[in-house]
């Protein structure tokens, strides 16, 4: 059923780095919701796996003294959704990961695996991009796996191309960090479009995070999944919209700016034209919901839509 030639189980970050460095072709497995599906389909025949699921220090959510929220990569989607730190300070992420698959998948799938498989449709990725998340990577120091070195990269730099992230020989993701300045005072909303309302990969995903002064935009971040080969931000549109007041003219400008930056493709799931239409409609609906929620003091929300918007 599963064509696995070798599996190494590690219980520490140090041992994980050593195992990955010794076998550069090895794949990391944690929850297994992606790797085991690929293996069963014959896409990874004869693979070597390094299981990191027993590394306790890679689980959980904490807040550091300066307010930085640190999400460890083996934290499951369910644990992220239910975590009180996430729900209080970055609820848009809690709602976004609650759109992943089925309850069974959310109970085993990890947020680190979701971003590290390099897939543009990952439900957590666009929201983490909108939150300016920083990815902590641990690996061998100067090519010596007996010593560890830590580096941090913005999540937008974590993605190299479709299906590939910037992990080098012997490296693994050890934390997702969101700084206080990137979430304090912000409201967020995640919009997902699919062909059905359960266990569906996003046809397009859009996450909007915004800081408001009444209806005036103090700061806005627009992030998409499936609008290009990797999760992306619309920096040009963000710059053009900052300082404006949300009204009908604002929404028209938003529509015009978005199409300048996104590059969706035709696929069997949806045409490029349909994705472009979704990309224009989603942030408008998200912002309308944010404005409504802000009046009630609700920081985050999400919606999964089936059918034509």
């Amino acid at each position: 059923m599963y064509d696995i030639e070798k599996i190494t189980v590690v219980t520490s970050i140090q041992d994980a780095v050593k195992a990955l460095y010794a076998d550069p072709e090895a794949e990391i497995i944690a929850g297994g919701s992606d790797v085991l599906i690929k293996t069963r389909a014959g896409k990874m025949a004869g693979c070597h796996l390094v299981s990191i699921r027993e590394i306790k220090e890679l689980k959980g959510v904490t807040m550091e003294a300066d307010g930085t929220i640190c999400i460890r990569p083996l934290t499951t989607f369910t644990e992220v959704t239910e975590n009180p730190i996430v729900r209080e300070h970055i609820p848009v992420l809690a709602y976004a990961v609650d759109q992943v698959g089925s309850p069974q998948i959310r109970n085993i799938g990890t947020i680190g695996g979701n971003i590290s498989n390099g897939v543009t449709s990952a439900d957590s990725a666009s929201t983490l991009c909108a939150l300016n998340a920083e990815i902590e990577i641990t690996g061998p120091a100067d090519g010596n796996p007996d010593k560890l070195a830590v580096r941090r990269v913005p999540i937008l730099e974590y993605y190299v191309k479709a299906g590939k992230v910037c992990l080098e020989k012997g490296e693994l993701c050890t934390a997702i960090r969101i700084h206080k300045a990137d979430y304090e005072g912000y409201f967020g909303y995640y919009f997902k479009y699919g062909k059905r309302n359960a266990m569906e990969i996003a046809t397009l995903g859009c996450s909007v995070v915004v800081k408001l002064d009444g209806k005036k935009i103090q700061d806005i971040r627009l992030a998409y999944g499936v609008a290009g080969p990797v999760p992306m931000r619309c920096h040009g549109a963000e710059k053009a919209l900052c300082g404006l007041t949300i009204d009908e003219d604002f929404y028209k400008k938003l529509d015009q700016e978005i199409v300048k930056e996104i590059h969706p493709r035709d696929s069997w799931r949806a045409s490029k034209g349909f994705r472009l239409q979704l990309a224009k409609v989603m942030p408008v609906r998200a912002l309308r919901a944010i404005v409504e929620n802000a009046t009630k003091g609700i920081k985050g929300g999400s919606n999964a839509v089936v059918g034509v918007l």
Side-chain angles (χ1 to χ4, degrees):
M1 183 181 294
Y2 298 106
D3 188 359
I4 300 171
E5 182 177 323
K6 176 185 176 183
I7 183 165
T8 302
V9 179
V10 295
T11 56
S12 70
I13 294 174
Q14 178 76 75
D15 288 343
V17 169
K18 287 182 177 180
L20 292 166
Y21 192 83
D23 188 355
E25 300 302 316
E27 296 280 347
I28 296 172
I29 184 171
S33 55
D34 288 321
V35 171
L36 291 181
I37 290 172
K38 292 177 183 177
T39 305
R40 187 171 184 177
K43 296 179 180 179
M44 297 172 59
C47 62
H48 294 184
L49 301 178
V50 174
S51 173
I52 64 171
R53 65 179 298 167
E54 300 302 322
I55 304 179
K56 294 180 180 179
E57 61 211 280
L58 293 184
K59 300 178 181 180
V61 180
T62 57
M63 179 178 283
E64 298 176 354
D66 65 356
T68 298
I69 297 172
C70 182
I71 305 172
R72 298 296 174 179
L74 293 187
T75 310
T76 67
F77 300 119
T78 298
E79 290 167 342
V80 172
T81 297
E82 296 178 351
N83 184 270
I85 294 173
V86 175
R87 293 187 72 86
E88 179 179 353
H89 298 285
I90 45 173
V92 63
L93 181 62
Y95 291 122
V97 299
D98 205 39
Q99 304 297 332
V100 177
S102 64
Q104 296 92 329
I105 293 296
R106 294 194 292 274
N107 285 340
I108 63 166
T110 64
I111 192 167
N114 198 229
I115 65 168
S116 295
N117 62 15
V119 176
T120 185
S121 59
D123 285 303
S124 67
S126 55
T127 295
L128 289 172
C129 288
L131 289 167
N132 284 333
E134 183 180 63
I135 308 303
E136 178 184 286
I137 298 168
T138 302
D142 298 322
N144 181 359
D146 292 321
K147 296 182 179 180
L148 299 181
V150 175
R151 63 188 180 101
R152 294 172 181 168
V153 300
I155 189 169
L156 290 172
E157 295 178 16
Y158 191 56
Y159 292 93
V160 176
K161 61 181 181 180
K164 183 175 176 56
V165 294
C166 70
L167 294 176
E168 298 177 359
K169 183 180 178 181
E171 290 186 330
L172 71 158
C173 168
T174 49
I176 300 165
R177 301 166 60 82
I178 302 167
H179 298 285
K180 186 176 183 179
D182 288 316
Y183 68 78
E184 189 174 50
Y186 285 84
F187 294 84
Y189 203 90
Y190 175 67
F191 228 120
K192 176 179 180 177
Y193 179 90
K195 292 184 178 180
R196 56 185 183 181
N197 60 5
M199 296 183 68
E200 175 69 341
I201 295 172
T203 301
L204 197 82
C206 175
S207 195
V208 179
V209 171
V210 62
K211 181 179 282 189
L212 296 169
D213 179 8
K215 287 190 176 184
K216 185 178 181 180
I217 299 287
Q218 290 187 316
D219 188 26
I220 184 168
R221 305 181 200 139
L222 303 163
Y224 285 94
V226 209
V230 297
M232 61 172 292
R233 284 269 297 275
C234 292
H235 293 294
E238 293 169 0
K239 184 177 180 180
L241 297 170
C242 227
L244 300 183
T245 298
I246 298 176
D247 55 20
E248 291 308 311
D249 288 335
F250 171 88
Y251 289 127
K252 291 176 183 177
K253 186 171 181 62
L254 171 61
D255 186 308
Q256 295 167 357
E257 294 294 333
I258 287 296
V259 295
K260 296 177 183 179
E261 296 187 74
I262 61 172
H263 307 286
R265 63 183 179 87
D266 289 310
S267 75
W268 66 270
R269 291 184 181 277
S271 68
K272 176 180 178 178
F274 183 56
R275 284 195 170 104
L276 282 169
Q277 179 62 22
L278 290 175
K280 292 189 291 183
V281 173
M282 280 182 164
V284 171
R285 293 205 174 183
L287 278 164
R288 291 186 190 278
I290 286 172
V291 170
E292 182 177 349
N293 287 344
T295 63
K296 304 173 184 177
I298 300 172
K299 291 184 178 180
S302 71
N303 195 8
V305 176
V306 180
V308 178
L309 285 173

